Amino acid sequence: MVFSVSEIAKIVQGEILGNRAFSEQKINHIITDSRTFFRSEKALFFALSGPRNNGHQYISALIEKGVNAFVISDKSVANNNATFIWVKNTTAALQKLAAFHRQQFNFPLIGITGSNGKTIVKEWLHDVLCNRFKIIRSPKSYNSQIGVPLSVLLMQGNFDLAIFEAGISQPNEMKKLAEILSPEIGILTNIGDAHQENFISIRQKIQEKLQLFRKSKQLIFNVDNKTVSNEVEKFCAENSIEPIPWTLKNNPANIRFSAKTKYGSTTIKAEIGETKYQFIIPFSDDSALENSCHCFATAHLLLEDPGLILKEFEKLGTVEMRLEIKQGINNCLLVNDYYNSDLNSLAIALSVLHQQAAKEHLYKKVILSDIQQTGLPQKELYRRVNKLLTEWKIDEVIGIGPAISAFSDEFVMNKKCYPSITSFQQNFIRKQFGNSAILIKGARQFTFEKISEMLQQKTHQTELEINLNALVHNLNVFRNRLKPETKIMVMVKAFSYGSGDVEIAKLLQYQNVDYLAVAVADEGLQLRNAGIKTPIIVMNPEQSSFQNMIEYQLEPNLYSVELIGNFQKTVAQNGLQDFPVHLKIDTGMNRLGLKSETEIQEAIQLIASNNWIKIKSVFSHLAASDEPQLDDFTKSQFANFESFSALISSSFSHKIDRHILNSAGIERFPEKQFEMVRLGIGLYGVSITGLSLENIGTLKSTVSQVKTVASGETVGYGRKGEMAVESKIAIVPLGYADGLDRKLGNKKGAAFINGKRVPIVGNICMDM
Ligand SMILES: *Cc1c(COP(=O)(O)O)cnc(C)c1O
């Protein structure tokens, strides 16, 4: 980016307000999320306002951090401490700026859309082509109305190929992305059911996605799905685009593929006219096959001889290999990113490292491999790396590789360099790694997973691994079913359904959920001690913990008149007023709650008679939201809830939120969302109606011993596991003491070993 604030104002047709002192300042980077940001010089903050968040509210905090240029749509926030560009719509302004920036470059731009596979096709295309082109691509899965402009704004003159993905969830969004990207080459990946709820038909969804390619020259797609290929061919004819169809099923197409799978890898043959090619991918699933066909077709279009890059397909990796956070040895925290290495992904990884280190004031170390294929002269490249490391206040860099070693003089911080990973391993001293946040970042051929292995804390052979990306995915699936203004309370009781309370609460706070709910006060205390500021409600408040709850701002669920009276007394003793509380009504579950109108009237009188506590919300709990045959009962609960909550609301002048839906309730009765919902098991991956949720937890262990057991012999206590045939048995150090339910023994449960499903034979023992 080379524009000044005033040039940007012109491009986005905005008006400059506030202090003009910074209007000729050149802008270096764009920020839209104040949470991840700390480099303030030459930054321009776009105050985006979405249904759940409004960027304008972070402006004064950002000014304090030194940001001095903003794009706003709310005139009233402008002041004399910074320069403001005032526009009607900040998202539209960001898109306009990106579209303008894109027009400065005329190297080919590939646009990828479709329901599935966008990110993988983008990453794989990069991997197979990166020795031939200097590629700029969307970071992570930046494919939204905001992610696409942010990606495009990273374009610079030293690249010669751009690969960007575009995603939509509703009609009319693609047109805007098309204006920003105007891709020369299009790839339409697989069309599935994702986001189908917002489209009338699958044809409408395809037509909408195709809008990305209106001005493209060529369009690559799979002809094997008739609905898709009909639409695409029509679209290409109408817009004079050259169609580039490929097939895996012998349909008429430019490129005909055939595939054979063996031992987890697939050999793919491609025929183009008379010419034949063959390549191998290290995967055996259908989507990997499809994604690699797209990559081959694109490579064929870009290169005179795709034969040159066939070897690259064998090295493709899974896209999950990036940015994972692990506990390291000696109180270290590891940020692993060893899938690839370039300046943009380095900047993203550094921001994650910074975030992680800041929480615990850790020393910041970066282990970095040579950076390849940037198109920059080496000296300039490592000068830029040094600049990034300095900006992110990195304390120490460890360079691994011949190039980074040769240019180590460029680094101004503490540094060590090794020509290869082997020499790093030979010189490794454990105690030199302590109390640090360590970013381990290298291109794949450097096999930095070995370094992570050395630095990772290993205390157990058995681990429950929680995938936080899957958790965020699940949260968004539920969010998308709710009105934007509906609040979400997430249940993190019982150690977040067994998944780790603090880690999950931190993530949920970052995702701006409105409330967290715990079962008992101690759980809430734990979260407050870990720095959680989100409002917390305690479902079973005990008299003995009232004082703590008040000190730690934990809001009680008051479910009886007696409890209300007692809690009021404690608040009064603390000299406080209007302490936030929640009232629970029993509408048929017959567990906790105020049950009759008399009880409710009594509660109202008690609360209204002084100003010690203030009702934030009234709620009730459904007994059978997941059982359709009991829907009549559920409806009676809704009716009771509506009349009781109306009675309470009408007795107070302030607004009182209402909530009754749990996860299954959100799925089956979205019309009863009122002002808030309480999300529990759905977040952790269980859906009652078959929503596309992701599994968040994987229990992993090791094999202690393998033995062959003859036909007729038995395994374990009670001789329950009798072998019908000679069998190979693995003994795993995991038993009912670890929570593995004994009911899962005797072939009721199963495990995966090297991807193969194997039954649990015999009785489950205590530790095995
Ligand atoms: C646990 C709990 C929930 C969440 O229920 P799920 O079925 O897990 O979604 C909601 N409300 C209350 C009061 C709860 O105790």
Side-chain angles (χ1 to χ4, degrees), residues 491 493 497 539 584 591 619-621 625 660-664 678-682 684:
M491 312 307 287
K493 58 190 178 189
Y497 289 53
M539 285 295 169
K584 186 164 190 181
R591 226 169 57 178
F619 70 105
S620 188
H621 199 27
S625 57
I660 190 166
L661 299 182
N662 63 344
S663 309
R678 298 188 305 275
L679 178 60
I681 197 153
Y684 307 98

Side-chain angles (χ1 to χ4, degrees), residues 481-594:
R481 303 186 73 75
L482 297 170
K483 288 185 254 158
E485 63 273 19
T486 304
K487 296 178 189 167
I488 296 188
M489 175 183 295
V490 177
M491 312 307 287
V492 294
K493 58 190 178 189
F495 202 55
S496 288
Y497 289 53
S499 312
D501 49 2
V502 170
E503 295 80 0
I504 286 178
K506 280 184 182 172
L507 183 74
L508 292 169
Q509 167 165 286
Y510 184 77
Q511 295 291 330
N512 283 316
V513 307
D514 300 280
Y515 265 98
L516 297 173
V518 294
V520 294
D522 283 353
E523 294 177 319
L525 242 66
Q526 193 117 4
L527 297 184
R528 286 281 182 257
N529 284 334
I532 300 294
K533 304 228 158 48
T534 304
I536 297 175
I537 173 169
V538 178
M539 285 295 169
N540 308 321
E542 291 156 10
Q543 172 98 38
S544 59
S545 56
F546 281 179
Q547 186 55 34
N548 266 341
M549 292 179 53
I550 288 167
E551 281 170 28
Y552 286 81
Q553 194 75 23
L554 304 173
E555 307 174 11
N557 158 26
L558 300 180
Y559 53 82
S560 72
V561 175
E562 189 191 359
L563 203 60
I564 293 171
N566 290 340
F567 193 73
Q568 282 178 320
K569 276 188 210 127
T570 319
V571 175
Q573 280 159 8
N574 281 272
L576 297 172
Q577 284 182 4
D578 289 340
F579 195 91
V581 302
H582 305 262
L583 289 196
K584 186 164 190 181
I585 312 174
D586 183 355
T587 52
M589 173 85 119
N590 283 320
R591 226 169 57 178
L592 301 179
L594 299 157

Side-chain angles (χ1 to χ4, degrees), residues 614-725:
K614 184 169 180 181
I615 308 172
K616 299 294 277 191
S617 79
V618 291
F619 70 105
S620 188
H621 199 27
L622 297 173
S625 57
D626 55 350
E627 299 198 42
Q629 73 275 21
L630 298 177
D631 279 356
D632 285 344
F633 181 78
T634 302
K635 283 179 190 147
S636 75
Q637 284 199 280
F638 288 137
N640 282 342
F641 181 61
E642 278 172 75
S643 68
F644 286 150
S645 60
L647 177 61
I648 296 171
S649 287
S650 66
S651 310
F652 296 89
S653 58
H654 69 281
K655 198 163 166 358
I656 296 176
D657 289 341
R658 298 163 296 168
H659 42 110
I660 190 166
L661 299 182
N662 63 344
S663 309
I666 302 170
E667 290 185 50
R668 300 195 53 240
F669 305 100
E671 69 283 3
K672 298 291 180 195
Q673 57 189 273
F674 299 108
E675 288 78 39
M676 181 142 74
V677 296
R678 298 188 305 275
L679 178 60
I681 197 153
L683 182 72
Y684 307 98
V686 179
S687 165
I688 206 76
T689 61
L691 294 182
S692 56
L693 301 179
E694 289 175 11
N695 167 39
I696 70 152
T698 309
L699 183 60
K700 293 184 171 174
S701 192
T702 45
V703 171
S704 310
Q705 197 177 22
V706 176
K707 57 181 53 169
T708 304
V709 179
S711 153
E713 281 192 286
T714 62
V715 178
Y717 287 122
R719 304 200 63 203
K720 292 281 193 243
E722 188 170 339
M723 296 299 120
V725 291

Side-chain angles (χ1 to χ4, degrees), residues 8-14 30 32 46-50 56 71-73 85-101 144-150 153 173 175-177 179-180:
I8 291 175
K10 260 194 219 121
I11 295 166
V12 304
Q13 294 165 321
I30 301 291
T32 58
F46 276 73
L48 304 178
S49 40
H56 292 85
V71 179
I72 54 170
S73 58
I85 302 176
W86 174 53
V87 294
K88 264 221 204 72
N89 177 328
T90 44
T91 307
L94 179 68
Q95 295 171 341
K96 241 184 238 169
L97 178 62
F100 185 88
H101 185 65
S144 66
Q145 296 288 308
I146 294 157
V148 168
L150 290 177
L153 286 164
E173 287 184 338
K175 203 168 145 268
K176 293 183 196 154
L177 300 185
E179 275 161 24
I180 302 166

